[in-house]
Amino acid sequence: MTLSFGTRLRSAMDERGPLCVGIDPHASLLGSWGLADDIAGLERFTYTVVEALADTVAVFKPQAAFFERFGSRGIAVLERATADLRAAGGLVVMDAKRGDIGSTMAAYAEAFLRKDSPLFADALTVSPYLGYGSLKPAVDLARESGAGLFVLALTSNPEGAEVQRAVREDGRTVGATMLARLAEENAGETPMGSFGAVVGATLGDLSSFDLDINGPLLAPGIGAQGATPADLPVVFGDAVRNVVPNVSRGVLRAGPDASALRDAAARYADEIRAAVAG
């Protein structure tokens, strides 16, 4: 029997520490490594990160768009990186933010959540803003495959508030509604469910929201966006143990030296572990 994503994630976080490293090979970062913004630069960057960190970091979040922009050759790099990370014991959250309806949503799900797909990942980021019910094909396939989802709920970008903080007729915000739906998906699951929310670490006190969804909370914003590990207990309160803090540039800027990448990741992991432990 395939262990659920929630079970595998808890085990990885307990063993390797609660850190997610984003793999975001955008042009300026490639340039800071002395690499050209081409397929050779993409390959060198990506495989250096994989080789340096795959056996020590719990979770990786490749941003699909930075690979897709190179066409089929970029997708091939993403496929290999995903397979290599998972083979080394890392969990892969594919940051593709897919969202659609019906057969199209099902096709997106099959691309990333079907076990025999070349791009199969442990979890996928998805957008619920065609209605939470539009995610059903992805929810169903994730359950079948032992994978997970991270649903955009309270994102760190300022523009997100106009949708996520909008108040529904029942008096509840859209973001709170998404959190409630995820809590329903995760009800009764141990050690935690597989259906998580994306909640920005830069948002400050979120005590007005019920973040106890019995599932993981993917928290971008630490490092270059201004949040620090010390902010996590303030933002997430009692749910902090289920937080998966994402650091991208804060780690990646340490490259291309592999030992410097490992040191940067280890430093963030230690700081996050200490902050979560209180």
Side-chain angles (χ1 to χ4, degrees), residues 138-162:
V139 171
D140 290 346
L141 187 54
R143 288 193 188 280
E144 179 183 327
S145 301
L149 298 178
F150 283 100
V151 177
L152 304 179
L154 296 168
T155 57
S156 56
N157 63 306
E159 303 88 349
E162 67 181 286

Side-chain angles (χ1 to χ4, degrees), residues 61-78:
K61 184 174 72 64
Q63 171 47 257
F66 290 118
F67 297 86
E68 292 169 346
R69 68 194 184 102
F70 291 102
S72 61
R73 295 179 69 187
I75 296 297
V77 174
L78 181 59

Side-chain angles (χ1 to χ4, degrees), residues 31 75 85 134 147 150 152 176 194 205 242 258:
I75 296 297
L85 289 166
S134 67
F150 283 100
L152 304 179
S194 299
D205 183 1
N242 287 346

Side-chain angles (χ1 to χ4, degrees), residues 185-253:
E185 300 286 2
N186 294 322
E189 296 292 331
T190 57
M192 66 176 169
S194 299
F195 299 94
V198 179
V199 179
T202 58
L203 297 178
D205 183 1
L206 292 176
S207 58
S208 61
F209 291 90
D210 186 0
L211 299 178
D212 184 12
I213 62 170
N214 190 34
L217 301 167
L218 181 63
I222 293 177
Q225 293 185 47
T228 70
D231 294 321
L232 294 172
V234 175
V235 177
F236 294 97
D238 292 341
V240 72
R241 186 170 180 269
N242 287 346
V243 171
V244 186
N246 178 78
V247 181
S248 297
R249 283 170 286 179
V251 171
L252 300 177
R253 282 176 176 166

Side-chain angles (χ1 to χ4, degrees), residues 166-178 180-181 184:
V167 179
R168 292 160 30 104
E169 291 182 357
D170 62 5
R172 189 163 58 179
T173 65
V174 173
T177 300
M178 298 308 158
R181 296 298 296 270
E184 293 171 4

